[in-house]
């Protein structure tokens, strides 16, 4: 009917141009990637371990499938805002780039895997850009994020020659593995580490890239990429205080150029990268607590204090440091790791205190029994008299 109406009003060649333009526009629209959906009021656990929720009215972009990432306004790029991963999938588009200030919530049981393209990071967070990762719980259902750098790129951080940006992991199970000579989390090859904070109840595994017989040293697990000169790249500002687990491994050197630190500098010029933090991993058995618990990073030479507190009815049974009994070194309930120069695993156990001895009831002697008999007889007599 529309065509018939147009025929009465317009010449045939105009109609043909109009129909062709309309058809082209339709094909163009169909070729565009579908945009991800949004939601609001998404719960998450904040960096302090408290239950929180995205601000009212703030849109949260849902990432449930690969198409939700390719369908972003700039495909593969997370721009300033909030996102929630709800699906379990491997992104097929290579590197995911963070631009601006990005907050990423890992929904319970969700899983996102990213493999960096070419010489880029798995998740590129470089320069002034910022990524904060949250979870929705602290248990086995925590969502997970796995990022592996391309050749010379960090797992999460900078690509080849790119410094790491500001990375905060406040929750979730996060695995970051660097490409050749790059950090697991932090700087790419030949680049500094940036700012990395691991807090809350995050479970983190970070593996630096080996040097692969290169003249550049291995990358740090967390920190900077390897250097090819006599000067290492700065590890950046690193803070670790998580109640979860943390395992960091520097990239090995296969030709004595220098291995990367677990937490610190990448290797350089025949020298292993320096550690900038050592971990104190503290756990307590039933019957008490230890603080700070979990994994906390301390600068070399510092003297952190761990406090052991037995619950009511319990006492400290033993405290070990890297397997050695240090119970006799306690100052009250405190144990001090003096001049820390290595990682320490501190474990406290507790024992029930002795149960109080019950006070025995004294036995009745003959005199007391006689008095009791007289009292009972007197009471019986009074009852008979009362009935009479």
């Amino acid at each position: 009917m529309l065509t018939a109406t147009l025929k009465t009003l317009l010449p045939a060649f105009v109609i043909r141009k109009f129909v062709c333009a309309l058809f082209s526009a339709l094909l163009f629209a169909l070729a565009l990637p579908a945009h991800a959906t949004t939601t609001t009021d998404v719960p998450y656990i904040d960096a302090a371990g408290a239950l929180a929720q995205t601000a009212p009215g703030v849109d949260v972009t849902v990432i449930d499938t690969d198409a939700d990432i390719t369908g972003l306004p700039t495909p593969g790029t997370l721009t300033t805002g909030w996102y929630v991963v709800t699906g379990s999938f491997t992104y097929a588009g290579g590197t995911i780039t963070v631009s601006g200030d990005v907050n990423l919530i890992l929904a319970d049981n969700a899983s996102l895997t990213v493999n960096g393209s070419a010489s880029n990071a798995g998740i590129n967070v470089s320069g002034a850009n910022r990524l904060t990762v949250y979870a929705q719980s602290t248990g086995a259902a925590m969502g997970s994020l796995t990022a592996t750098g391309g050749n010379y790129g960090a797992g999460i951080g900078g690509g080849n020659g790119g410094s790491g940006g500001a990375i905060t992991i406040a929750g979730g199970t996060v695995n970051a593995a660097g490409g050749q000579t790059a950090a697991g989390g932090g700087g790419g090859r030949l680049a500094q580490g940036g700012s990395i904070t691991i807090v809350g109840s995050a479970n983190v595994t970070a593996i630096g890239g080996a040097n692969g017989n290169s003249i550049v040293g291995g990358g740090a697990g967390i920190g900077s990429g390897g250097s090819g000169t006599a000067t290492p790249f700065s590890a950046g500002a690193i803070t670790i205080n998580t109640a979860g687990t943390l395992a960091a491994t520097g990239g090995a050197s296969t030709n004595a150029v220098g291995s990367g630190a677990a937490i610190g500098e990448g290797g350089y010029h025949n020298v292993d990268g320096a550690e900038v933090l050592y971990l104190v991993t503290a756990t307590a058995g039933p019957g008490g607590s230890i603080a700070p618990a979990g994994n906390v990073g301390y600068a070399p030479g510092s003297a952190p204090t761990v406090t052991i507190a037995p619950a009511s009815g319990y006492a400290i049974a033993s405290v070990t440091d890297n397997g050695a009994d240090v119970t006799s070194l306690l100052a009250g309930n405190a144990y001090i790791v003096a001049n820390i120069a290595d990682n320490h695993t501190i474990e406290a156990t507790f024992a029930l205190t002795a149960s109080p001895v019950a006070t025995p009831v004294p036995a009745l002697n003959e005199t007391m029994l006689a008095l009791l008999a007289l009292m009972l007889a007197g009471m019986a007599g009074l009852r008979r008299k009362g009935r009479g």
Side-chain angles (χ1 to χ4, degrees):
M1 182 173 181
L2 176 61
T3 305
T5 303
L6 288 172
K7 283 181 178 179
T8 63
L9 298 175
L10 299 171
F13 77 92
V14 176
I15 295 174
R16 283 196 298 271
K17 286 186 176 182
F18 173 77
V19 172
C20 287
L22 183 64
F23 185 67
S24 297
L26 178 61
L27 289 177
F28 179 75
L30 290 173
L32 289 175
H35 289 285
T37 58
T38 60
T39 186
T40 57
D41 305 322
V42 178
Y44 65 96
I45 305 295
D46 67 16
L51 181 63
Q53 185 171 283
T54 55
V58 172
D59 284 339
V60 180
T61 300
V62 177
I63 299 176
D64 191 62
T65 67
D66 196 87
D68 292 323
I69 300 176
T70 58
L72 293 168
T74 300
T77 298
L78 309 182
T79 56
T80 296
W82 286 83
Y83 300 79
V84 57
V85 178
T86 56
S88 294
F89 64 97
T90 297
Y91 176 55
T95 296
I96 292 177
T97 299
V98 168
S99 178
D101 188 355
V102 170
N103 298 279
L104 182 68
I105 300 171
L106 303 173
D108 282 351
N109 300 307
S111 174
L112 172 60
T113 299
V114 184
N115 297 302
S117 52
S119 58
N120 211 335
I123 298 181
N124 191 295
V125 187
S126 60
N129 297 300
R130 179 183 297 273
L131 172 67
T132 304
V133 179
Y134 300 101
Q136 290 187 324
S137 68
T138 59
M142 276 198 307
S144 67
L145 173 64
T146 299
T148 302
N151 200 22
Y152 306 142
I156 303 175
N160 186 19
S163 63
I167 303 164
T168 298
I169 302 174
T173 297
V174 178
N175 306 299
Q180 184 176 324
T181 74
R189 173 181 180 267
L190 304 176
Q192 63 185 9
S195 173
I196 299 177
T197 302
I198 301 173
V199 290
S201 294
N203 296 328
V204 176
T205 300
I207 302 173
N211 79 335
N213 210 33
S214 163
I215 62 170
V216 177
I222 299 172
S224 59
S227 170
T229 71
T231 303
F233 288 94
S234 168
I238 305 173
T239 300
I240 297 175
N241 188 353
T242 175
T245 61
L246 192 143
T249 306
S253 170
T254 59
N255 57 357
V257 171
S259 298
I263 305 171
E265 299 171 347
Y268 64 102
H269 200 61
N270 304 326
V271 180
D272 293 341
E275 303 284 348
V276 299
L277 289 182
Y278 289 112
L279 290 178
V280 171
T281 304
T283 58
S289 62
I290 193 166
N295 288 274
V296 182
Y298 296 95
S302 58
T305 298
V306 177
T307 302
I308 300 99
S312 177
Y314 286 83
I316 297 172
S318 68
V319 178
T320 60
D321 183 352
N322 287 344
D325 193 306
V326 294
T327 311
S328 62
L329 302 180
L330 295 182
N333 286 0
Y335 172 63
I336 300 173
V337 182
N339 192 28
I340 189 168
D342 201 352
N343 295 329
H344 288 255
T345 298
I346 299 172
E347 298 173 299
T349 63
F350 304 90
L352 281 167
T353 54
S355 302
V357 179
T359 303
V361 177
L364 297 176
N365 57 31
E366 291 182 1
T367 303
M368 294 175 67
L369 288 172
L371 290 173
L372 181 59
L374 288 172
M375 290 173 61
L376 292 174
M379 293 172 64
L382 289 173
R383 283 197 295 270
R384 286 194 299 272
K385 184 177 179 180
R387 287 196 295 270

